[in-house]
Amino acid sequence: MEKEYEQAVKILKNNHQETIIPIMEKLNENKKEILAEQILNIDFKEINFLYDKTKTDYSSNFENIEKIKAINPDDLSIQEINEYLQIGKTAITNGKFCVAIMAGGQGSRLGHDGPKGTFKIDIEENGKYLFELLIDKLRKAKKKYGVYIDCYIMTSEDNNEETVKFFEKNKYFGYPKTHVKFFKQNSTLVIDKNGKIVIGEDYKIKTCSNGNGEIFSSMAKQGIIDEMKRKKIEWVFIGAVDNILLQLVDTMLLGAAIKNKEMIATRTVLKNAPHENVGVFCKQNGKVKVIEYTEMPKKLAEEVNEKGELVFGEAHIMCNLFNIEALEKASTKNLEYHVAYKKITYLDENGILVRPTEPNCYKFERFIFDAFTLFDNILVLRGKREECFAPIKNAEGIDSPKTAKALYENYMNNIKNKNIKK
Ligand code: UTP
C-alpha cells in the first residue's frame, strides 16, 4: 500500500497536481489507499485537455447558421393528425416503443436534498414526486394501449442508490418493477479554476456526471441498447425528469417520425422571449444543431423576421425520439464536451468541507442534442407550450416549482373545460 500511495504522490507532483497532497497526508491508511488507487487510474492528459476546453471561445463557431423548418400541427389536416396517431398507436401496441428518463443530473440549481426525481411538487391533493408523475403517464398509457411500456432510468454514480431505494420504497408507484430498469451514466473529473483536481466530501477525487449526452454511450456500455434490440424495440423516447408536463408517450411524434421515415424526431415549443433559458434549433452547414442558451450569441437570440417572429425560436425541450439504429450510431461517437462553471463542494487544504456560495469549479458535460449533427435530418414537430412544457430548474423565480405548478394547474383546467383533449 505504502508503495501505491508514494507512487500516487509522485504522479501528482509530476503532473503539477500537488494541491491535494496536504489533505491526503492527513487521511487514515484506508482512505489514503482508496485515493491512491483512484489517482493511479487518472488520465492526466485528459485533465489538460479539459482545462484547455475552459479557454475555448465559442463565439467563432456561429457561421453559416440558418433557421430550421418545423412542422406546426395547426397546419396539418385532421386526416394527417389521425394518421400519425394511428401509426404511433400501432407501434406502441406492438411493443416497438419504450421510454428513457434522464435523471443523472445534479439538480444543483433546485437545491433539493436528493435526486431531482424525488422532489415533491405541491399539486393534486397530496403533492406528487417528479418520478411519480412520469410513472403516472405510463400507467395511463397502459390503460389506453393495453401494454406496459418499458421505462429506462438513467441515474449517476452519485444518485443511483438513492433513486433505486426511492422506487422500492414507493413500490414503483404501482408500475410493474419488471418494466423499470436503472442504468448509471459515466462521470468525469471536475477541476478548479486553475485546472487542479479537488477532493470531495467522500474523500475521493471529485467527479460529476458528465451531461445528458452521455446517455448513448452509457446505454451501450451497460447493455441497454442490446437489451432493447432483443426485445425488438425500435423507438426510444428520451425525456427529462424535470418537466412536469412532459408528454412521455407522444404518440403523434412517434407516428410522424415513422410516416416521414426519419430516424430522429423532436418536440419543440416556441421560445417565449429572446433570452429564455432554453437551447434553440438551427441548421449549420446543412446539419441540425442546437445552440444552448449559455452559448447563444445575443445577436442570433434577438434576430427576428419580417413578421417580428424570432428566427431561432424553436426551443429544444428535451423531448427526443430516436430510432434504435440512431441510438446505436450515437453511442459509438464521443460527443463534444461543454464547460460549465458550477458550485462544487470540496475539501480545502486543511481537510475542511467547503460549500461554496459562488461557482468555483469547472464541470464538463456532453449534451444530448449534439448527437443530432451526426444525422442528415431530423423531424421537428412543434408542440403547444401550455400542453408540454413546465420545467423545474430553479428553487425560486423562473422555471421553479411555483411556475411549474401554475402551468400544470392551467393545463388540468384546460382539460377539465375541454379546451384540450387528453
Ligand atoms: P439540466 O441540464 O437542467 O441539469 O438537466 P440538472 O442536473 O437537472 O440541474 P442543474 O443544472 O445542476 O441545476 C436536464 C436533464 O438532463 C438530466 C437531468 O437529470 C435532467 O433531466 N441530466 C443532466 C442527466 O441525466 N445527466 C447529466 O449529467 C446532466
Side-chain angles (χ1 to χ4, degrees), residues 63-69 282-289 372-378:
E63 273 133 35
N64 303 327
I65 300 267
E66 51 179 330
K67 186 182 165 60
I68 200 157
K69 282 200 194 82
C282 63
K283 278 206 157 184
Q284 184 174 40
N285 301 318
K287 296 267 183 188
V288 179
K289 180 183 170 87
F372 299 154
T373 352
L374 304 170
F375 301 87
D376 288 333
N377 201 21
I378 72 173

Side-chain angles (χ1 to χ4, degrees), residues 102 104-109 116 154 185 211-212 241 342 393:
M102 303 181 295
Q106 281 185 300
S108 54
R109 287 169 288 170
K116 206 172 189 179
M154 180 166 81
Q185 73 169 96
N212 51 39
V241 72
K342 298 247 177 175
K393 298 289 177 193

Side-chain angles (χ1 to χ4, degrees), residues 116-117 119-124 128-134 136-137 140 240-248 317 385-393 400-412:
K116 206 172 189 179
F119 177 75
K120 195 175 203 179
I121 180 156
D122 171 29
I123 51 168
E124 311 279 336
K128 287 266 179 189
Y129 297 107
L130 301 190
F131 278 133
E132 180 181 10
L133 280 168
L134 293 164
D136 282 354
K137 292 172 205 282
K140 272 189 202 134
V241 72
D242 54 9
N243 169 11
I244 62 167
L245 283 183
L246 179 76
Q247 302 298 312
L248 189 58
I317 53 166
R385 199 179 177 94
E386 62 277 16
E387 294 176 15
C388 59
F389 194 45
I392 299 181
K393 298 289 177 193
S400 61
K402 195 171 165 194
T403 56
K405 173 182 159 82
L407 291 165
Y408 180 88
E409 288 173 350
N410 176 54
Y411 172 74
M412 294 313 274

Side-chain angles (χ1 to χ4, degrees), residues 275-287:
H275 296 287
E276 186 185 359
N277 290 352
V278 283
V280 288
F281 279 92
C282 63
K283 278 206 157 184
Q284 184 174 40
N285 301 318
K287 296 267 183 188

